[in-house]
Amino acid sequence: EAGVAQSPRYKIIEKRQSVAFWCNPISGHATLYWYQQILGQGPKLLIQFQNNGVVDDSQLPKDRFSAERLKGVDSTLKIQPAKLEDSAVYLCASSLNARSAFFGQGTRLTVV
Amino acid sequence: SQQGEEDPQALSIQEGENATMNCSYKTSINNLQWYRQNSGRGLVHLILIRSNEREKHSGRLRVTLDTSKKSSSLLITASRAADTASYFCATDAGNSGNTPLVFGKGTRLSVIA
């Protein structure tokens, strides 16, 4: 079974630039999560999708972050414009029936 | 906001010793899960314990859950150098996919050979 795929693995951008991350979840997994993990901390939920609908985006900074999950499969997370404090690892995860979540390797974003 | 709080924040032990990590949470849950994260990698699911279970085993892992105290513990027996990683608890308040999986801040475990 293929795992959760994320790209790119690493990204370095200047502040105020835009960036997008892509996630392909495990086939058949209805639930998809985007987490932000700052160095030394636990993952913080940004947004949760159930199929192509948003379940929870209460901690998504909507003035600069956006996410979509077209056709209930792949998802993209965008930051525009980026700030220095957005430097973190962005993790995508998927799950079947909200049981254990399977994580991708993450995208390490550095904003300079 | 983060639901779980792991304790200790960091733990260093010798190979062969047992490692115990604790997690406390704030609200009612449907299940509690433990994950491992090696440096620079994604999280790997270790074990899930439902709210009506008190103890669960998987290989060298033993998880307990006390819903009256809103706490859980993860015991790794006969630790190995390869167990060096960060360990996170995550709580799930629902069972329909409509509630978020909320993580704690983690315990960094170092197993010295």
Side-chain angles (χ1 to χ4, degrees), chain B residues 28-64:
Chain B
S28 297
I29 60 169
N30 181 59
N31 67 66
L32 185 143
Q33 304 175 31
W34 285 91
Y35 288 79
R36 183 186 74 218
Q37 185 178 37
N38 290 85
S39 180
R41 310 296 289 268
L43 283 80
V44 174
H45 178 262
L46 294 175
I47 196 165
L48 179 153
I49 186 166
R50 294 182 178 82
S51 60
N52 61 355
E53 297 176 312
R54 292 295 166 259
E55 188 170 312
K56 203 161 183 180
H57 297 254
S58 176
R60 294 185 295 114
L61 305 180
R62 174 179 164 245
V63 169
T64 62

mmCIF file of all heavy atoms in Angstrom, chain B residues 28-64:
data_model
loop_
_atom_site.group_PDB
_atom_site.id
_atom_site.type_symbol
_atom_site.label_atom_id
_atom_site.label_comp_id
_atom_site.label_asym_id
_atom_site.label_seq_id
_atom_site.Cartn_x
_atom_site.Cartn_y
_atom_site.Cartn_z
ATOM 1 N N SER B 28 -13.197 14.922 27.291
ATOM 2 C CA SER B 28 -13.579 13.528 27.043
ATOM 3 C C SER B 28 -13.091 13.076 25.671
ATOM 4 O O SER B 28 -13.033 13.872 24.740
ATOM 5 C CB SER B 28 -15.107 13.395 27.105
ATOM 6 O OG SER B 28 -15.556 13.709 28.392
ATOM 7 N N ILE B 29 -12.744 11.809 25.596
ATOM 8 C CA ILE B 29 -12.185 11.291 24.343
ATOM 9 C C ILE B 29 -12.898 10.016 23.919
ATOM 10 O O ILE B 29 -13.529 9.330 24.728
ATOM 11 C CB ILE B 29 -10.669 10.995 24.471
ATOM 12 C CG1 ILE B 29 -10.420 9.943 25.568
ATOM 13 C CG2 ILE B 29 -9.894 12.263 24.753
ATOM 14 C CD1 ILE B 29 -9.011 9.413 25.588
ATOM 15 N N ASN B 30 -12.780 9.714 22.633
ATOM 16 C CA ASN B 30 -13.243 8.434 22.097
ATOM 17 C C ASN B 30 -12.103 7.428 22.101
ATOM 18 O O ASN B 30 -12.298 6.253 22.380
ATOM 19 C CB ASN B 30 -13.766 8.630 20.686
ATOM 20 C CG ASN B 30 -14.272 7.337 20.082
ATOM 21 O OD1 ASN B 30 -15.172 6.715 20.628
ATOM 22 N ND2 ASN B 30 -13.668 6.921 18.997
ATOM 23 N N ASN B 31 -10.924 7.911 21.748
ATOM 24 C CA ASN B 31 -9.742 7.065 21.821
ATOM 25 C C ASN B 31 -8.504 7.926 21.993
ATOM 26 O O ASN B 31 -8.546 9.148 21.794
ATOM 27 C CB ASN B 31 -9.608 6.165 20.576
ATOM 28 C CG ASN B 31 -9.327 6.951 19.309
ATOM 29 O OD1 ASN B 31 -8.280 7.576 19.150
ATOM 30 N ND2 ASN B 31 -10.275 6.928 18.382
ATOM 31 N N LEU B 32 -7.416 7.285 22.388
ATOM 32 C CA LEU B 32 -6.140 7.962 22.539
ATOM 33 C C LEU B 32 -5.108 7.153 21.770
ATOM 34 O O LEU B 32 -5.119 5.915 21.815
ATOM 35 C CB LEU B 32 -5.754 8.085 24.017
ATOM 36 C CG LEU B 32 -4.478 8.883 24.336
ATOM 37 C CD1 LEU B 32 -4.659 9.681 25.625
ATOM 38 C CD2 LEU B 32 -3.262 7.991 24.423
ATOM 39 N N GLN B 33 -4.238 7.854 21.075
ATOM 40 C CA GLN B 33 -3.252 7.180 20.233
ATOM 41 C C GLN B 33 -1.852 7.660 20.592
ATOM 42 O O GLN B 33 -1.669 8.797 21.031
ATOM 43 C CB GLN B 33 -3.549 7.487 18.763
ATOM 44 C CG GLN B 33 -4.966 7.123 18.346
ATOM 45 C CD GLN B 33 -5.295 7.545 16.930
ATOM 46 O OE1 GLN B 33 -4.426 7.579 16.063
ATOM 47 N NE2 GLN B 33 -6.562 7.874 16.679
ATOM 48 N N TRP B 34 -0.886 6.809 20.380
ATOM 49 C CA TRP B 34 0.525 7.163 20.545
ATOM 50 C C TRP B 34 1.221 7.057 19.193
ATOM 51 O O TRP B 34 0.996 6.107 18.438
ATOM 52 C CB TRP B 34 1.209 6.259 21.566
ATOM 53 C CG TRP B 34 0.839 6.584 22.986
ATOM 54 C CD1 TRP B 34 -0.173 6.067 23.718
ATOM 55 C CD2 TRP B 34 1.519 7.516 23.846
ATOM 56 N NE1 TRP B 34 -0.187 6.612 24.973
ATOM 57 C CE2 TRP B 34 0.842 7.503 25.090
ATOM 58 C CE3 TRP B 34 2.623 8.356 23.694
ATOM 59 C CZ2 TRP B 34 1.236 8.297 26.171
ATOM 60 C CZ3 TRP B 34 3.017 9.141 24.770
ATOM 61 C CH2 TRP B 34 2.325 9.104 25.986
ATOM 62 N N TYR B 35 2.081 8.050 18.931
ATOM 63 C CA TYR B 35 2.841 8.104 17.691
ATOM 64 C C TYR B 35 4.314 8.291 18.012
ATOM 65 O O TYR B 35 4.677 8.878 19.039
ATOM 66 C CB TYR B 35 2.381 9.286 16.816
ATOM 67 C CG TYR B 35 1.024 9.100 16.183
ATOM 68 C CD1 TYR B 35 -0.138 9.297 16.923
ATOM 69 C CD2 TYR B 35 0.902 8.737 14.847
ATOM 70 C CE1 TYR B 35 -1.382 9.115 16.344
ATOM 71 C CE2 TYR B 35 -0.347 8.568 14.248
ATOM 72 C CZ TYR B 35 -1.481 8.757 15.016
ATOM 73 O OH TYR B 35 -2.714 8.589 14.443
ATOM 74 N N ARG B 36 5.164 7.837 17.093
ATOM 75 C CA ARG B 36 6.600 8.046 17.197
ATOM 76 C C ARG B 36 7.053 8.885 16.009
ATOM 77 O O ARG B 36 6.537 8.747 14.895
ATOM 78 C CB ARG B 36 7.351 6.706 17.178
ATOM 79 C CG ARG B 36 8.858 6.840 17.345
ATOM 80 C CD ARG B 36 9.552 5.516 17.180
ATOM 81 N NE ARG B 36 9.571 5.120 15.784
ATOM 82 C CZ ARG B 36 9.410 3.870 15.368
ATOM 83 N NH1 ARG B 36 9.193 2.906 16.228
ATOM 84 N NH2 ARG B 36 9.462 3.597 14.094
ATOM 85 N N GLN B 37 8.029 9.752 16.258
ATOM 86 C CA GLN B 37 8.583 10.575 15.189
ATOM 87 C C GLN B 37 10.096 10.566 15.292
ATOM 88 O O GLN B 37 10.654 11.064 16.263
ATOM 89 C CB GLN B 37 8.068 12.011 15.257
ATOM 90 C CG GLN B 37 8.539 12.878 14.083
ATOM 91 C CD GLN B 37 7.973 14.281 14.138
ATOM 92 O OE1 GLN B 37 7.824 14.860 15.214
ATOM 93 N NE2 GLN B 37 7.643 14.857 12.986
ATOM 94 N N ASN B 38 10.731 9.978 14.302
ATOM 95 C CA ASN B 38 12.178 10.055 14.211
ATOM 96 C C ASN B 38 12.550 11.420 13.644
ATOM 97 O O ASN B 38 11.769 12.036 12.919
ATOM 98 C CB ASN B 38 12.718 8.934 13.323
ATOM 99 C CG ASN B 38 12.573 7.589 13.993
ATOM 100 O OD1 ASN B 38 11.524 6.953 13.904
ATOM 101 N ND2 ASN B 38 13.591 7.158 14.696
ATOM 102 N N SER B 39 13.736 11.869 13.965
ATOM 103 C CA SER B 39 14.173 13.208 13.589
ATOM 104 C C SER B 39 14.037 13.432 12.083
ATOM 105 O O SER B 39 14.534 12.645 11.278
ATOM 106 C CB SER B 39 15.631 13.400 14.010
ATOM 107 O OG SER B 39 16.076 14.682 13.668
ATOM 108 N N GLY B 40 13.350 14.499 11.725
ATOM 109 C CA GLY B 40 13.203 14.855 10.322
ATOM 110 C C GLY B 40 12.230 14.007 9.535
ATOM 111 O O GLY B 40 12.195 14.104 8.302
ATOM 112 N N ARG B 41 11.451 13.195 10.214
ATOM 113 C CA ARG B 41 10.516 12.318 9.508
ATOM 114 C C ARG B 41 9.080 12.593 9.925
ATOM 115 O O ARG B 41 8.815 13.368 10.850
ATOM 116 C CB ARG B 41 10.853 10.847 9.798
ATOM 117 C CG ARG B 41 12.293 10.476 9.615
ATOM 118 C CD ARG B 41 12.719 10.630 8.170
ATOM 119 N NE ARG B 41 12.144 9.626 7.314
ATOM 120 C CZ ARG B 41 12.738 8.473 7.021
ATOM 121 N NH1 ARG B 41 13.910 8.191 7.531
ATOM 122 N NH2 ARG B 41 12.172 7.622 6.205
ATOM 123 N N GLY B 42 8.150 11.941 9.249
ATOM 124 C CA GLY B 42 6.749 12.054 9.639
ATOM 125 C C GLY B 42 6.452 11.193 10.852
ATOM 126 O O GLY B 42 7.316 10.469 11.346
ATOM 127 N N LEU B 43 5.248 11.276 11.357
ATOM 128 C CA LEU B 43 4.852 10.502 12.529
ATOM 129 C C LEU B 43 4.387 9.113 12.117
ATOM 130 O O LEU B 43 3.774 8.934 11.063
ATOM 131 C CB LEU B 43 3.720 11.214 13.280
ATOM 132 C CG LEU B 43 4.134 12.400 14.134
ATOM 133 C CD1 LEU B 43 4.325 13.648 13.299
ATOM 134 C CD2 LEU B 43 3.104 12.642 15.229
ATOM 135 N N VAL B 44 4.664 8.152 12.983
ATOM 136 C CA VAL B 44 4.268 6.769 12.743
ATOM 137 C C VAL B 44 3.354 6.329 13.866
ATOM 138 O O VAL B 44 3.692 6.477 15.050
ATOM 139 C CB VAL B 44 5.502 5.844 12.665
ATOM 140 C CG1 VAL B 44 5.060 4.388 12.558
ATOM 141 C CG2 VAL B 44 6.379 6.230 11.492
ATOM 142 N N HIS B 45 2.190 5.795 13.497
ATOM 143 C CA HIS B 45 1.240 5.341 14.493
ATOM 144 C C HIS B 45 1.766 4.099 15.205
ATOM 145 O O HIS B 45 2.254 3.161 14.580
ATOM 146 C CB HIS B 45 -0.094 5.018 13.812
ATOM 147 C CG HIS B 45 -1.135 4.506 14.731
ATOM 148 N ND1 HIS B 45 -1.417 3.167 14.886
ATOM 149 C CD2 HIS B 45 -1.964 5.163 15.579
ATOM 150 C CE1 HIS B 45 -2.376 3.034 15.774
ATOM 151 N NE2 HIS B 45 -2.734 4.214 16.207
ATOM 152 N N LEU B 46 1.679 4.113 16.543
ATOM 153 C CA LEU B 46 2.151 2.980 17.337
ATOM 154 C C LEU B 46 0.995 2.132 17.852
ATOM 155 O O LEU B 46 0.972 0.910 17.687
ATOM 156 C CB LEU B 46 2.975 3.465 18.529
ATOM 157 C CG LEU B 46 4.293 4.153 18.212
ATOM 158 C CD1 LEU B 46 4.928 4.671 19.500
ATOM 159 C CD2 LEU B 46 5.238 3.217 17.483
ATOM 160 N N ILE B 47 0.045 2.787 18.506
ATOM 161 C CA ILE B 47 -0.995 2.035 19.188
ATOM 162 C C ILE B 47 -2.186 2.939 19.466
ATOM 163 O O ILE B 47 -2.028 4.148 19.679
ATOM 164 C CB ILE B 47 -0.439 1.401 20.484
ATOM 165 C CG1 ILE B 47 -1.345 0.302 21.021
ATOM 166 C CG2 ILE B 47 -0.131 2.463 21.515
ATOM 167 C CD1 ILE B 47 -0.653 -0.570 22.068
ATOM 168 N N LEU B 48 -3.383 2.361 19.449
ATOM 169 C CA LEU B 48 -4.615 3.084 19.747
ATOM 170 C C LEU B 48 -5.320 2.378 20.883
ATOM 171 O O LEU B 48 -5.419 1.140 20.879
ATOM 172 C CB LEU B 48 -5.508 3.117 18.494
ATOM 173 C CG LEU B 48 -6.874 3.807 18.576
ATOM 174 C CD1 LEU B 48 -7.288 4.313 17.186
ATOM 175 C CD2 LEU B 48 -7.964 2.890 19.113
ATOM 176 N N ILE B 49 -5.777 3.142 21.853
ATOM 177 C CA ILE B 49 -6.533 2.565 22.959
ATOM 178 C C ILE B 49 -7.864 3.298 23.039
ATOM 179 O O ILE B 49 -7.918 4.528 23.009
ATOM 180 C CB ILE B 49 -5.741 2.615 24.286
ATOM 181 C CG1 ILE B 49 -6.495 1.871 25.397
ATOM 182 C CG2 ILE B 49 -5.378 4.033 24.703
ATOM 183 C CD1 ILE B 49 -5.635 1.586 26.628
ATOM 184 N N ARG B 50 -8.957 2.531 23.095
ATOM 185 C CA ARG B 50 -10.282 3.129 23.125
ATOM 186 C C ARG B 50 -10.625 3.566 24.551
ATOM 187 O O ARG B 50 -10.058 3.059 25.522
ATOM 188 C CB ARG B 50 -11.327 2.136 22.619
ATOM 189 C CG ARG B 50 -11.162 1.781 21.152
ATOM 190 C CD ARG B 50 -12.253 0.828 20.680
ATOM 191 N NE ARG B 50 -12.130 0.517 19.268
ATOM 192 C CZ ARG B 50 -11.319 -0.400 18.780
ATOM 193 N NH1 ARG B 50 -10.548 -1.096 19.592
ATOM 194 N NH2 ARG B 50 -11.269 -0.614 17.482
ATOM 195 N N SER B 51 -11.587 4.434 24.676
ATOM 196 C CA SER B 51 -11.939 4.987 25.983
ATOM 197 C C SER B 51 -12.482 3.928 26.940
ATOM 198 O O SER B 51 -12.429 4.105 28.159
ATOM 199 C CB SER B 51 -12.964 6.117 25.827
ATOM 200 O OG SER B 51 -14.138 5.634 25.220
ATOM 201 N N ASN B 52 -12.974 2.817 26.420
ATOM 202 C CA ASN B 52 -13.493 1.770 27.296
ATOM 203 C C ASN B 52 -12.448 0.678 27.592
ATOM 204 O O ASN B 52 -12.757 -0.341 28.198
ATOM 205 C CB ASN B 52 -14.751 1.125 26.705
ATOM 206 C CG ASN B 52 -14.497 0.467 25.365
ATOM 207 O OD1 ASN B 52 -13.400 0.568 24.807
ATOM 208 N ND2 ASN B 52 -15.492 -0.215 24.842
ATOM 209 N N GLU B 53 -11.228 0.906 27.141
ATOM 210 C CA GLU B 53 -10.133 -0.022 27.432
ATOM 211 C C GLU B 53 -9.221 0.574 28.489
ATOM 212 O O GLU B 53 -9.079 1.804 28.591
ATOM 213 C CB GLU B 53 -9.336 -0.315 26.152
ATOM 214 C CG GLU B 53 -10.160 -1.017 25.086
ATOM 215 C CD GLU B 53 -9.374 -1.215 23.799
ATOM 216 O OE1 GLU B 53 -8.747 -0.246 23.311
ATOM 217 O OE2 GLU B 53 -9.400 -2.346 23.269
ATOM 218 N N ARG B 54 -8.577 -0.272 29.257
ATOM 219 C CA ARG B 54 -7.698 0.214 30.321
ATOM 220 C C ARG B 54 -6.230 -0.075 30.032
ATOM 221 O O ARG B 54 -5.357 0.631 30.531
ATOM 222 C CB ARG B 54 -8.097 -0.427 31.651
ATOM 223 C CG ARG B 54 -9.441 0.043 32.139
ATOM 224 C CD ARG B 54 -9.405 1.531 32.468
ATOM 225 N NE ARG B 54 -10.750 2.084 32.623
ATOM 226 C CZ ARG B 54 -11.374 2.779 31.681
ATOM 227 N NH1 ARG B 54 -10.800 3.022 30.519
ATOM 228 N NH2 ARG B 54 -12.580 3.256 31.911
ATOM 229 N N GLU B 55 -5.967 -1.115 29.252
ATOM 230 C CA GLU B 55 -4.587 -1.482 28.961
ATOM 231 C C GLU B 55 -4.535 -2.184 27.616
ATOM 232 O O GLU B 55 -5.466 -2.891 27.228
ATOM 233 C CB GLU B 55 -4.066 -2.414 30.058
ATOM 234 C CG GLU B 55 -2.599 -2.726 29.973
ATOM 235 C CD GLU B 55 -2.092 -3.458 31.210
ATOM 236 O OE1 GLU B 55 -2.403 -3.013 32.329
ATOM 237 O OE2 GLU B 55 -1.411 -4.479 31.037
ATOM 238 N N LYS B 56 -3.427 -1.945 26.916
ATOM 239 C CA LYS B 56 -3.250 -2.585 25.625
ATOM 240 C C LYS B 56 -1.765 -2.853 25.402
ATOM 241 O O LYS B 56 -0.915 -2.061 25.825
ATOM 242 C CB LYS B 56 -3.789 -1.693 24.513
ATOM 243 C CG LYS B 56 -4.164 -2.429 23.253
ATOM 244 C CD LYS B 56 -5.105 -1.580 22.421
ATOM 245 C CE LYS B 56 -5.554 -2.339 21.191
ATOM 246 N NZ LYS B 56 -6.472 -1.544 20.357
ATOM 247 N N HIS B 57 -1.468 -3.966 24.738
ATOM 248 C CA HIS B 57 -0.078 -4.335 24.490
ATOM 249 C C HIS B 57 0.151 -4.484 22.994
ATOM 250 O O HIS B 57 -0.742 -4.896 22.245
ATOM 251 C CB HIS B 57 0.248 -5.671 25.159
ATOM 252 C CG HIS B 57 0.130 -5.653 26.644
ATOM 253 N ND1 HIS B 57 1.229 -5.647 27.474
ATOM 254 C CD2 HIS B 57 -0.952 -5.614 27.459
ATOM 255 C CE1 HIS B 57 0.824 -5.629 28.735
ATOM 256 N NE2 HIS B 57 -0.491 -5.605 28.752
ATOM 257 N N SER B 58 1.358 -4.136 22.593
ATOM 258 C CA SER B 58 1.771 -4.395 21.219
ATOM 259 C C SER B 58 3.277 -4.572 21.224
ATOM 260 O O SER B 58 4.029 -3.609 21.347
ATOM 261 C CB SER B 58 1.377 -3.226 20.302
ATOM 262 O OG SER B 58 1.858 -3.450 18.983
ATOM 263 N N GLY B 59 3.734 -5.813 21.128
ATOM 264 C CA GLY B 59 5.167 -6.086 21.172
ATOM 265 C C GLY B 59 5.772 -5.601 22.481
ATOM 266 O O GLY B 59 5.329 -5.992 23.557
ATOM 267 N N ARG B 60 6.759 -4.711 22.391
ATOM 268 C CA ARG B 60 7.405 -4.175 23.602
ATOM 269 C C ARG B 60 6.679 -2.946 24.155
ATOM 270 O O ARG B 60 7.156 -2.311 25.091
ATOM 271 C CB ARG B 60 8.852 -3.810 23.278
ATOM 272 C CG ARG B 60 9.742 -5.019 22.933
ATOM 273 C CD ARG B 60 11.197 -4.624 22.731
ATOM 274 N NE ARG B 60 11.359 -3.750 21.570
ATOM 275 C CZ ARG B 60 11.742 -2.482 21.651
ATOM 276 N NH1 ARG B 60 11.974 -1.896 22.815
ATOM 277 N NH2 ARG B 60 11.889 -1.762 20.541
ATOM 278 N N LEU B 61 5.543 -2.615 23.579
ATOM 279 C CA LEU B 61 4.785 -1.441 24.016
ATOM 280 C C LEU B 61 3.623 -1.856 24.905
ATOM 281 O O LEU B 61 2.930 -2.834 24.631
ATOM 282 C CB LEU B 61 4.230 -0.674 22.812
ATOM 283 C CG LEU B 61 5.216 -0.231 21.749
ATOM 284 C CD1 LEU B 61 4.474 0.513 20.639
ATOM 285 C CD2 LEU B 61 6.302 0.647 22.332
ATOM 286 N N ARG B 62 3.444 -1.067 25.965
ATOM 287 C CA ARG B 62 2.272 -1.260 26.826
ATOM 288 C C ARG B 62 1.664 0.117 27.094
ATOM 289 O O ARG B 62 2.358 1.032 27.534
ATOM 290 C CB ARG B 62 2.658 -1.935 28.135
ATOM 291 C CG ARG B 62 1.524 -2.027 29.140
ATOM 292 C CD ARG B 62 1.967 -2.729 30.406
ATOM 293 N NE ARG B 62 1.030 -2.485 31.506
ATOM 294 C CZ ARG B 62 1.335 -1.812 32.612
ATOM 295 N NH1 ARG B 62 2.559 -1.360 32.809
ATOM 296 N NH2 ARG B 62 0.433 -1.619 33.540
ATOM 297 N N VAL B 63 0.396 0.245 26.795
ATOM 298 C CA VAL B 63 -0.301 1.517 26.993
ATOM 299 C C VAL B 63 -1.401 1.318 28.019
ATOM 300 O O VAL B 63 -2.112 0.315 27.986
ATOM 301 C CB VAL B 63 -0.899 2.029 25.671
ATOM 302 C CG1 VAL B 63 -1.849 3.189 25.929
ATOM 303 C CG2 VAL B 63 0.197 2.462 24.729
ATOM 304 N N THR B 64 -1.516 2.260 28.932
ATOM 305 C CA THR B 64 -2.623 2.258 29.887
ATOM 306 C C THR B 64 -3.425 3.540 29.706
ATOM 307 O O THR B 64 -2.909 4.557 29.233
ATOM 308 C CB THR B 64 -2.125 2.162 31.329
ATOM 309 O OG1 THR B 64 -1.321 3.314 31.615
ATOM 310 C CG2 THR B 64 -1.319 0.895 31.549
#
